[in-house]
Amino acid sequence: MTNARGNLPLLTAFIGAAVVPAQGADEIRFGRDIRPILSDRCFLCHGPDREQQQAGLRLDSFTDATAERRNGYALIAGDLDASLLWHRINALDLDDVMPPLDSGKPQLSDHEKDLIRRWIEQGGAYEDHWAFEPLTSPEPPTVDDPWIRNDIDRFVLQRLQHEGLLPNADADAATLARRTYLDVTGLPPTTAELDVFLSDTEPGAYERLIDRLLTEEPYVTRHAERMAVPWMDLARYADTSGIHMDAGRTIWPYRDWVLNALRDNMPYDQFVIEQLAGDLLPERTNEQMVASGFNRCHVTTDEGGAINDEALFEYAVERTNTLGTVFLGLTVNCAQCHDHKFDPVSQDDYYALLAFFNNNEEPGLYRQAPDPYRALEPNYTIKTQADAARMAELEAHVTALTAERDKPDPDEAEAMATFEQSLQDDGWNWTTPAVITAVSSSGSTLEIQADGSVLATSPAPTNDDYTIVLGTERTDLRAIVLDVLQHTSLPHGRVGRGSNGNAIMSGISAEIVSHADPTQRTDINLIWAWADHEQPNEDFRVVNALTPNNGRMWALNAHVLPDDRVAMFLADEDFGYEGGSDLIITMNFHSIYAGHSLGNVRFHVSSASEDALATLPTAHTNWYIVGPFQPEGRDQNAYDVAFGPEEAPLDFAKTYEDQKWRYAPGVIEGQNVRLAETTGAEYVAREFFAPTQQSVDLSLGSDDGIQVYLNGALVHENRVNRGVAPDQDRLTIELQPGRNTYVTKIVNTGGPGGIYYSEAVPEDELAPDMLAWVLPEPSVTDAFADRARAAWRTSHSPRYLELTEGITAAQGDIDTLNTSLPITMVMQERSEVRPSYVMMRGAYDAPDMERKVARGVPGVLGHIVSEGTPTRTDLARWLVGDENPLTARVTVNRFWAQLFGQGLVDTVEDFGLQGTWPSHPELLDWLAVNFRDNGWNVRDTMRTMLLSSTYRQTSNGNADQDATLYARFPRQRLSAEQIRDQALHVSGLLIEHFGGPSVKPYQPEGLWREVAMPSSNTRIFEQGMGDALWRRSVYTYWKRASPPPAMLTLDAPTREYCSAQRINTNTPLQALVLWNDVQFVEAARATAARVLLETPEEQRLVDLYRRCTGATPSVGLQHAMADTLAKFETRYSGDPEAAAALCGVGDAPIPEGMNTDQLAAWTMLANAVLSSDAAIVKD
Amino acid sequence: MSKPTHTSRYRIRTADPLEEYLRNLTRRRFFGSMASTMGAGLGATALSTLLDTPAAAAPITTDDTAHLLKNLSHYAPRAKRVIYMHMEGAPSQIDLYDHKPGLLDKYNEDLPDSIRNGQRITTMTSGQSRFPVAPSRFAFHRAANNEGGVMLSELLPHTAAMAHEICFIRSMHTDAINHEPGITFFQTGSEQAGRPSFGAWMSYGLGSANEDLPTFVVMITQGYGNMQALSARFWDSGFLPSEHQGCKLRAGKDTVLYLRNPDGVSRDDRRAMLDLASTINQDEYERSGDAETMARIAQHEMAYRMQMSVPELTDISDEPEHVLNMYGPDVRKPGTFSANCLQARRLAERGVRFIQLYMRGWDAHGNLPSEIRKQCGAVDQGQAALLKDLKQRGMLEDTLVLWAGEFGRTVYCQGALTKTNYGRDHHPRCFSLWVAGGGIKPGISYGQTDDYSYNIVKDPVSVHDLHATLLHNLGFDHTKLSYRHQGRDYRLTDVHGRVVRDILA
């Protein structure tokens, strides 16, 4: 504590020296000196927000402030004594003093009071906020000095002279070259590039360097990659949706559009217009359409319980706020809930602006699709003219083949009729029994209809069970068919009673009761089921309903595909009593989906011969996986340890060692399927339902070994180490009628596990669609009959099959072409403009119907001229038009910050009243006007800055402590991207490939899984291979819920919202990244290898240092490096295993024949240099 | 030679918060606060906490400085750190804390309209035609506290045994009805992404008390029930500098990301490499006079120490058997909730300010009874042991322990209702959580809901109120711990919040 107190005088000294914000003792400027005080301390209650105005006083307007009031005047120009303002800020009475003590606002300091006093005494003049003033071109000061190279320097030097400061001299050539390369291309110069520059001693060498970097390849491409990064922060670009599932999505073509625009030096006004409104431009190009993705980069939600309108509103809000920050430098977001407290942006203004953005054709709430590369709608397929022509050609081909194939053929028709007849001769004999009663367990009204069906006519209860009693005289019954019919009285006229028209059946069971002797009754054992359609997004197969209460069910997908449905069920033996029976069928509708019962049902029954049964296809459940499990003992192997699932009866609801069966849609028959990377045993299982006894031929593969358990008995085993491939093992299994359990146990001994499964369909088995021909006539719709005919012709007519294959191939080509075409998220305006209202308290569901607003811009900034309702295009044009002073100012300020690490306006994101006063207002305006008037030429603006003496100075410390006056160049730590890209470049690992889908370089294991929902499609991080590891960082895949961890540690934002400025921090975690991240260890090793290969021994230390830092190490440093190297050489030559281990980090190969002891020693050296300030700081 | 030195533009983490405070008050930052005269600069808060006296009493007399400091919030802090156990997915208050014996008679009756009152419900149950009451199938027992006892679910026997140390709040309410906004609200005081999380605020406000460990640590346990997503945003620093981000402490080999040296690099190797890097940095500093470079040297040294201190932290072989037994058998399995509770105590002991534990898997839309049983089985013994352990070490009095989900669950059933099985949907209108230690009244219950645990009938507490109360005990006036961003002074409590004085000890 003593020690710390000892520091206090230092602090005081600091303050004494520091507190002179006003320049020159005499001149007070309202905007710079006074308004910040009023804005911060007074405007909350006496500012633009009408709701909050106290005592009817506004201090943000001269007229109001000087108006006569009940007790005098708040302000009288030049008269301190008569100005109440002055008295209130000095009041001794605690009830009178301003700001009030309970306001949470600090009192004015003596210094601030002094400023106010002098301001009032000097006339109390107001001036409008500088940033809203029109842009006028200030004359560069006429100061003359040999230091001056261009007009920027005139503004800077004039200010320095005013402050009594001198600028620093030019930095030495090597420092300047490295600074410039990093600023322009994001990469440091190679030693060769550096040498070229150093050897050019002719005048104009630096100018020539700038020319080269801004006009020649590969620099222009690199320049685009460098410039794109801050824009990605602004555009909140990422590769996942951000909320809930954080699903993957495709919008990288937008990122590539930005890269291309920057590479082509697209004029900035066009850059703005195309991104905000590319979709609306007349005769828009593919590229302009893609550019509109700027408005779609925001996070989206797929959370089940979310409300559509709320999501839509939030998206519009997000776009509006982003526009405010990026193009206006205004915190318009403050006006979402109330008038802005400081800036003249009312709530009406806000919603007028929002009205441009609430009109996108989008669903609001998205659903995650399995495909992590889906482009959320509205989306756009980028098709070139050649693509379009090829597509048309393929489509025409498909049409021609289809017409040829579907031509009627009398011979075929006859054969088909014969086949159909033969099926019916097999013993199918359908009748439609009369319904005797139909009862609901939950009080639904079930009405018996004239057509023999039962219709539910009351609103659906949450869950329900129907018990339907049918009367039949038959004794030979084996099959039951359920017709599920659409009805106009049901929701959306579909088959289900769910509010979306869908239905889910959780169980079906049947009982037969003798009429003659009602004590004679039997439960019918249903052993097989089939349906013409099953909902595909989860495990919703109809066989699930055979076991009521197993937690799985049949979903009909009727909310997606309407139409009638039909299902068939088989008993294990004939049923029906002599003398007639009641057939009692119970259907259960228990699920978490409320009201999803069937609306209109009808039953048919039939006999079936053994021949008929033998032709029916085997039914089965979906695949399920459990595991992996590891055996506990060292000596045990996973083959011999039964972890549980191999035993009968199989139950997917069971858990083993806390592990549950997981529905596994990823197990696709006929494909190599990847399983867990963990060693041990993993089980892949499903159930078969055989209509009768039958055998099935299987082709199996596994990684590594395999065991197969059928109904609890081991029927196959192969203890082998191998990678998975088709047909490694063959097996025939004998299925008993009804339910069979099939469990594959995969034993993995290293690397990823895998499985392959396919089964041969017996020739005499009916294709599922052909079941139409065994069903009773009323159950078969026309469309279904068509499918049956197509299925028959496929299997019985070679000509038909050949043409079908041709069609399939052409369809495949269409699909291939389609999937090869990038698809990306874009804007698509609704045809009808959605009205916009002021939302009370900013809430999505509280429109103030009295305050409808028309599209427009904040009044203080002017207004949009348009024919009819202004469009986004009009808004974009206005942004870059002459009337709006902000876009040019805000943009050049960001360019400046990109080079100097700080803006001329320090609050890069806020040019409003709470923003900071520009350090060089005239320079800012001069740059802005030049930018605008010279065709919004980004590269020229950068060039002007780069060529100035201001930019070329050394960074050596001087009296300009924070470099805010530019008496020196501000040293800056490099950005996350620059640090990584530099390491890749120096090491020679960098793969320079422009554009394309995002890539996944190294990251520690498990990060995604830790935070993801179990069913998220970005739950598993699959590290990229080869080139993907070494691309520039702008291409790194950005998962919002778990962004690239090293980037985040090095101060990159999460990209969940627009970010205009990164705050640099200095933390130990950053050191750990630079030391231990595989990416950096590998880069150090590759750098070391390069030096060892390319440089003569005596120059290696200097060369290594120069490669990494651009500078030549001092003699002292060279000694230190040599000493450290010697230490490491001894260390690693004594421990070759350690050396090999270090050199083995990362996927990049070690050059052939290289001595790893030596390489390891040099790797450590490179690791030290690359993590030091000499490398990670821009000097 | 004395080269002119320009000061660091960045914040430096140092061992001594006072020194840190002074260092942080760099010219630039100081100007920033002066120009805006906003007062609550960071570090100053840390200063006050350390001195245990109002900072205004510090002998800094310059007008502006006094002015700066006068505006800081100052209560004598009751707590120095927070352990916040977030139950992601939202546990059911009806089955754990909010005993409603009267519901047994109302089994499968419709929730009266007078109770539901047209409230917004999620689209998951908004299609249900009826809302049948699902009483808890779990028995409640009276646990001794410092009042007449408190009724707690049979699922939490260990926690019940610590009820005399716990303040149960049964009258929480929130604005959010879905997980993402709900958790974001709890963590950051706003449903929208972009604000700093509670832990980041505390890192900013309290500063560091251990130079070898991060200030804000996050640990995650995977659950047994229906799991919702987590996101880095929940422990992000928002607009605060990223040094205040939560640092994830993970089970397995990468406890702290990038902490382990690569294979083939020993601690001595790292030392040798670091010595060279420091020599280079020293050389840089002498050339440039950039204080930032000196700071980097210090940060690298801290990283080096962390490489030692973190493995020491996570190695529990020094824990006596009886302590391990207290946490239960799970404590030996890294990543379980018990193991993380023990880690939390070890972190707290070492001066870490904010320790956030996530337990996933409470989102029981169906099969609630079996899921909640497993979830409770996973947390009960560990969390109770943590309280006991802290108490025994005299640390509970200055450690705030918070146990909370993001909202509650409905009394009515989602999906099929039977006596033994049911599901519950999201319910923001009322829910329960508990706080212990750190100047909170022990052994009391606060707030009351109606007979259906559907509406609050007494002493409502909002999430902002909870934040304000916790901040209060940490020594902050929640209206004054702020950070200027986009021209506005942002707070954890936004523009809301009230200290719930009734629960302060």
Side-chain angles (χ1 to χ4, degrees), chain A residues 72-134:
Chain A
Y73 294 87
L75 177 68
I76 290 194
D79 190 344
L80 197 61
D81 214 37
S83 297
L84 285 168
L85 166 66
W86 174 247
H87 291 289
R88 294 300 291 274
I89 62 175
N90 284 296
L92 292 175
D93 186 335
L94 296 182
D95 289 337
D96 282 351
V97 72
M98 283 287 160
L101 292 178
D102 60 359
S103 67
K105 294 278 176 191
Q107 296 297 303
L108 273 67
S109 69
D110 291 352
H111 174 69
E112 289 167 334
K113 287 177 186 168
D114 189 51
L115 287 171
I116 301 262
R117 176 184 59 76
R118 283 155 57 202
W119 166 61
I120 297 177
E121 285 173 355
Q122 286 174 18
Y126 271 62
E127 58 184 340
D128 289 333
H129 182 54
W130 69 271
F132 303 150
E133 290 287 284

Side-chain angles (χ1 to χ4, degrees), chain A residues 911-925:
Chain A
F911 276 49
L913 272 68
Q914 290 287 91
T916 51
W917 184 259
S919 61
H920 298 72
E922 292 81 13
L923 172 56
L924 179 71
D925 278 10

Side-chain angles (χ1 to χ4, degrees), chain B residues 463-476:
Chain B
V463 177
H464 294 303
D465 297 342
L466 177 74
H467 285 155
T469 309
L470 299 179
L471 285 177
H472 176 274
N473 278 19
L474 288 157
F476 298 104

Side-chain angles (χ1 to χ4, degrees), chain A residues 15 18 40-41 107 112 242 244 303 310 971 1005 1010-1012 1041 1051 1056 1068 1076 1131-1132 1173 1179, chain B residues 9 31 36-37 65 67 120 179-180 230 232-233 242 250 258 264 269-270 281 290 293 296 299 360 484:
Chain A
I15 296 163
D40 194 50
R41 241 58 70 70
Q107 296 297 303
E112 289 167 334
H244 199 236
E303 180 157 357
E310 185 171 19
R971 264 168 74 89
E1005 236 184 70
E1010 277 165 19
V1011 297
D1051 304 318
E1056 292 183 296
N1076 299 328
R1131 146 87 170 123
Y1132 285 113
D1173 270 20
D1179 194 13
Chain B
R9 277 189 307 282
F31 261 140
S36 57
T37 340
T65 315
H67 164 75
R120 173 181 172 188
H179 298 286
E180 285 275 348
L230 290 176
R233 104 175 54 92
S242 61
R250 310 162 73 226
Y258 308 115
D269 297 337
R270 180 58 70 208
N281 281 337
D290 187 355
T293 299
R296 191 105 53 214
Q299 296 305 303
R360 304 182 65 188
R484 174 147 300 196

